[in-house]
Amino acid sequence: MMRVAVNPVMLQWARERSRLPAETFYSRFPQLDRWEREESKPTLKQLEKYARATLTPIGYFFLPEPLIEKLPIPDFRTMANRALAQPSPNLLETVYLCQQRQAWYREYAQSHGLRPLQFVGSLNAQSPVEESARAMSKALNFDLDARRDCRTWEEALRTFIAQAEVVGVLVMNSGVVLNNNYRHLDPEEFRGFALADRLAPAVFINGSDSKAAQMFTLAHELAHLWIGESALSNAEASDMDGQAVERWCNRVAAELLAPLAIFRAEIRIGEPLNETMARLARRFKVSTLVVLRRLLDAGHLTRESFWQEYRAEVARLRALPRSSGGNFYLSQAARVSKRFAKALVESTIEGQTLYRDAMQMLGISKVETFNELGRSLNYPT
């Protein structure tokens, strides 16, 4: 039985990189402690199993020292005004996969003679917030009254995503890596990112977050596309002290979703704050956190009372259960972008893209599943 010499530092690094509890690995791999002390060596099969468990490419274990993995896009996330450290394997794989889809769609757009999208890069982080939000609203055909009439935040979010896709944005919305329901994306690590491109602009929304929070994330990431900058974001409505670009995107997102002039007119003097938050959240189909920020912007809350209420509301929202389930094929199209899925199915059925490549980008393993997805998108297979 062949045993493999592995630097124990790499075993520990892979375990910590996974962000999974150490006890999980020590119970699953009884010899791990001895491997790390170099009292024993794993077999190749054991190492392969350990690599899968730690979400680490097996080739990494043969490196002399740990890699410093960096995100391929600017990281604007902050925590206590410090950039976050090592990205998780789930985040890294999600960014790489979305970049792969974007590259494929860029080639598709070029081969089909699609024109560059003029709105990408049409603004900058010094553009007036109100004018910028109005420009985005006009381009997106963003109707506040129509959104108010949506019965649920989920319906409002679907409408918003559809509006973004109509103008050419690939909107991917998923709470897991590919279709692996055991690899959940943590909204505490990131809420979304934007991949700017004139032919294939893309936005990823962390679907593990609440629907109301996803509304703000989408608006924030669209603002990044309008200034032509790729970025990974926290998209926090409360961010007033972070990087200048993030502050601008947050302000534009808030103005797009709840224009201050209209918002002010909806405030009822003397109404209890919790009732105001619930009512205006329903009215504008935003999270109560965005309502609190707009109340601060409108001068209805002091900075001190804002932070007190904001922290309390964050704690309340974190305790709420997240919804899951639904039609697989509808969810699949949403996870990869309906615009992207339609183009990929069309290209594959017509023989321009290999089934193997298409299924890999979709995260499915059966041709029949692929064909059923095509039928759900009204494409004959």
Side-chain angles (χ1 to χ4, degrees):
M1 187 180 295
M2 188 177 81
R3 303 234 169 223
V4 185
V6 181
N7 184 341
V9 172
M10 298 305 297
L11 294 169
Q12 180 180 353
W13 172 77
R15 171 166 51 79
E16 293 172 351
R17 174 182 179 272
S18 73
R19 299 197 177 187
L20 297 172
E23 297 77 18
T24 301
F25 300 109
Y26 286 116
S27 61
R28 189 171 173 183
F29 300 91
Q31 295 296 310
L32 178 57
D33 189 50
R34 299 190 66 217
W35 297 344
E36 290 183 344
R37 295 201 306 266
E38 294 188 277
E39 295 175 359
S40 176
K41 297 177 183 178
T43 66
L44 181 58
K45 188 174 182 179
Q46 287 173 326
L47 185 61
E48 289 173 340
K49 187 177 179 181
Y50 185 70
R52 288 192 297 271
T54 58
L55 310 175
T56 305
I58 191 167
Y60 284 13
F61 291 98
F62 300 99
L63 296 174
E65 59 185 28
L67 286 173
I68 299 176
E69 295 179 295
K70 295 183 178 180
L71 286 158
I73 56 176
D75 185 356
F76 287 156
R77 299 169 302 156
T78 57
M79 181 175 288
N81 295 323
R82 297 190 305 275
L84 297 182
Q86 178 70 40
S88 72
N90 287 349
L91 170 55
L92 285 168
E93 288 185 40
T94 299
V95 174
Y96 295 147
L97 182 61
C98 291
Q99 286 184 316
Q100 181 186 11
R101 292 171 183 156
Q102 182 186 52
W104 180 92
Y105 191 84
R106 186 187 304 116
E107 290 187 8
Y108 171 88
Q110 290 171 336
S111 66
H112 285 73
L114 301 185
R115 295 181 178 181
L117 300 170
Q118 298 303 311
F119 68 83
V120 178
S122 61
L123 301 174
N124 60 63
Q126 287 73 49
S127 299
V129 169
E130 292 79 7
E131 292 179 17
S132 300
R134 281 196 297 271
M136 291 176 62
S137 179
K138 182 178 179 181
L140 292 163
N141 193 26
F142 198 71
D143 189 330
L144 286 173
D145 291 330
R147 190 152 51 91
R148 176 189 58 195
D149 295 336
C150 290
R151 292 170 297 173
T152 64
W153 274 261
E154 185 172 9
E155 182 182 342
L157 179 62
R158 283 199 305 267
T159 300
F160 193 9
I161 290 173
Q163 290 168 322
E165 293 226 315
V166 163
V167 300
V169 180
L170 307 177
V171 182
M172 308 173 202
N173 183 357
S174 180
V176 298
V177 180
L178 278 175
N179 293 317
N180 189 335
N181 291 323
Y182 294 98
R183 296 185 63 183
H184 291 275
L185 300 175
D186 183 3
E188 293 297 312
E189 181 180 18
F190 79 105
R191 287 187 166 82
F193 56 84
L195 301 175
D197 188 279
R198 294 291 296 278
L199 282 175
V203 163
F204 184 89
I205 306 169
N206 190 335
S208 293
D209 220 344
S210 70
K211 300 300 180 186
Q214 291 175 48
M215 290 284 291
F216 188 79
T217 297
L218 177 53
H220 177 103
E221 302 307 341
L222 287 174
H224 272 290
L225 295 184
W226 251 262
I227 60 174
E229 291 192 9
S230 300
L232 178 74
S233 308
N234 269 352
E236 290 275 11
S238 64
D239 189 3
M240 292 177 274
D241 302 310
Q243 299 187 47
V245 170
E246 287 297 273
R247 292 200 308 272
W248 184 88
C249 288
N250 280 340
R251 291 175 64 200
V252 170
E255 182 66 20
L256 173 65
L257 294 171
L260 194 57
I262 299 174
F263 186 90
R264 274 199 177 104
E266 296 282 349
I267 297 174
R268 298 172 184 171
I269 303 301
E271 182 179 50
L273 180 59
N274 62 330
E275 294 180 18
T276 297
M277 289 165 57
R279 179 174 58 82
L280 295 184
R282 289 193 302 271
R283 162 65 176 93
F284 292 99
K285 292 299 184 297
V286 296
S287 74
T288 47
L289 299 177
V290 173
V291 171
L292 283 170
R293 175 57 193 266
R294 294 268 80 182
L295 288 171
L296 173 65
D297 296 337
H300 195 69
L301 287 177
T302 65
R303 203 177 181 94
E304 181 181 357
S305 59
F306 164 77
W307 280 115
Q308 180 180 344
E309 297 295 339
Y310 192 92
R311 294 187 184 102
E313 187 63 6
V314 166
R316 185 186 73 83
L317 293 174
R318 282 177 177 166
L320 296 177
R322 294 283 184 258
S323 60
S324 60
N327 182 285
F328 170 80
Y329 297 102
L330 293 177
S331 299
Q332 178 63 31
R335 284 176 174 177
V336 303
S337 156
K338 195 170 183 179
R339 170 179 281 268
F340 171 82
K342 283 183 174 180
L344 185 61
V345 167
E346 172 193 302
S347 176
T348 305
I349 298 301
E350 293 180 357
Q352 297 165 356
T353 298
L354 295 175
Y355 270 86
R356 177 198 64 200
D357 295 339
M359 291 164 64
Q360 186 273 327
M361 285 188 281
L362 293 171
I364 57 182
S365 57
K366 297 180 180 179
V367 172
E368 180 51 38
T369 304
F370 178 88
N371 290 337
E372 187 60 36
L373 173 63
R375 287 189 285 271
S376 75
L377 295 169
N378 299 318
Y379 194 89
T381 57

